Amino acid sequence: MQLLPPPRRRGLHDRRRSRSPSTVVEVSDLNVIRAGLVPYEAAWERQREIHAAVADGTESDTVLLLEHPPVYTAGRRTELWEKPFDGTPVIDVDRGGKITWHGPGQLVGYPIVRLPDPIDVVSYVRRIEDVLIAVCAEVGVAASRIDGRSGAWLPADQYGPDRKIAAIGIRVAQGVTLHGFAINCNPDLTWFDRIVPCGIADASVTSLSKELGRDVTVAEVLPLVEAHLPTLLAAELVGPGPQAGVLA
C-alpha cells in the first residue's frame, strides 16, 4: 500500500520528481500526484491538507490520481434505502451526490483546483466530463453525456438501460474544489450490487473492460487521464447538464 507525499510548494521547478512510492508530475499548470493504492480516509485527509494550501495560495493546483481498497462512500444527499442492504459499513463524506463504491480497478481522481471568478461549478463539472469522455474514446469506448445525469455514460441499447462508466461528485469551498471523479477500468462490478449506485435505480454500471471485452487496467488509463487534465483549467461551458456537485 502506498502513502501520499507531502504537498508541493510553489517555486519548485523540476518537471518530474519521484518520492517513492508516489510520483509527482507537472502537467501544464497542475501538479499531478500518482499515489497508488491509498485508504479512503488517508486520501480524504490529504485532500483537506492540499485544499488548505491551495486556498491560501501556498500550493499550486493539484490532482491526486489513485486507487482505493474497497469502500462505500455516501454524499450528503444519500437516502438510507440507497445504502448497502446487508449493513456493510459506509463512510459519510461532505461531497455532493449520493452513495457510490470505490475499489481496485477503478481510477479515482481528486482535482484540488482554484476555480476562476465568477465561480461556475456547472462549467467545472462539464470539463470533468470532457476529460472522462475523451479518455473513454482513446481506448475505444464511445461514452457521452446523458441529460440530467453527470458523469460519462453509455446510452441504453440492445444490451440494457443507460450504464455509467465514470462518476463525478465534488465539493467547492473557498473557491477551491475537492473530491472529483472515478472511472471504472476493470473493477469487480458486483460491489455495486449491494447499493443503489448514486441513487439511480433505472440505470446500471459498467467498465471499460466490460464494454471492450478485454482487460483495461488502471495502469493503461492513468497516463491518458493525466494527458487530458489541463482541460480542467479551461473556462468554457460545454453543454447542458444536471445541477453541479451531484454524483449521478
Side-chain angles (χ1 to χ4, degrees):
M1 187 168 297
Q2 300 189 2
L3 301 177
L4 291 167
R8 296 186 67 188
R9 299 299 176 188
R10 293 188 185 274
L12 298 177
H13 302 294
D14 51 343
R15 299 302 301 172
R16 183 181 181 98
R17 178 173 62 180
S18 293
R19 295 189 181 207
S20 181
S22 298
T23 300
V24 178
V25 182
E26 287 189 7
V27 176
S28 183
D29 294 321
L30 290 169
N31 288 335
V32 180
I33 300 175
R34 297 184 179 187
L37 184 69
V38 183
Y40 186 86
E41 295 92 335
W44 192 11
E45 180 179 359
R46 182 48 55 86
Q47 280 192 75
R48 293 194 291 266
E49 293 173 356
I50 298 174
H51 179 273
V54 173
D56 69 19
T58 59
E59 175 61 52
S60 300
D61 293 337
T62 299
V63 182
L64 305 177
L65 294 177
L66 48 81
E67 292 177 83
H68 290 305
V71 62
Y72 293 104
T73 69
R76 294 186 300 262
R77 296 175 52 248
T78 303
E79 303 287 346
L80 182 62
W81 62 272
E82 294 163 342
K83 293 187 175 183
F85 314 123
D86 59 1
T88 301
V90 175
I91 297 175
D92 293 313
V93 295
D94 59 355
R95 60 165 168 77
K98 298 197 174 190
I99 191 167
T100 193
W101 173 85
H102 298 304
Q106 181 190 74
L107 177 59
V108 178
Y110 295 130
I112 306 165
V113 301
R114 179 173 293 282
L115 298 181
D117 290 325
I119 292 174
D120 188 339
V121 181
V122 173
S123 177
Y124 172 66
V125 172
R126 299 288 79 75
R127 295 197 299 272
I128 296 177
E129 289 172 344
D130 284 343
V131 171
L132 299 173
I133 291 168
V135 169
C136 289
E138 285 208 43
V139 296
V141 174
S144 63
R145 293 182 176 88
I146 290 182
D147 288 345
R149 293 174 170 172
S150 67
W153 291 82
L154 280 298
D157 55 20
Q158 68 270 28
Y159 301 108
D162 297 340
R163 50 201 185 275
K164 183 172 58 180
I165 200 164
I168 299 171
I170 69 165
R171 181 187 176 209
V172 179
Q174 298 177 272
V176 178
T177 64
L178 285 156
H179 303 288
F181 60 85
I183 183 166
N184 295 330
C185 301
N186 60 349
D188 178 357
L189 294 175
T190 62
W191 284 96
F192 290 101
D193 294 342
R194 302 184 189 182
I195 61 173
V196 180
C198 306
I200 301 173
D202 63 342
S204 62
V205 179
T206 190
S207 68
L208 295 172
S209 295
K210 182 176 181 180
E211 294 299 321
L212 292 173
R214 69 174 181 86
D215 192 30
V216 181
T217 65
V218 167
E220 177 182 347
V221 173
L222 190 151
L224 304 179
V225 170
E226 202 169 69
H228 286 279
L229 287 177
T231 299
L232 299 179
L233 302 181
E236 293 82 3
L237 175 64
V238 182
Q243 181 180 358
V246 174
L247 181 64

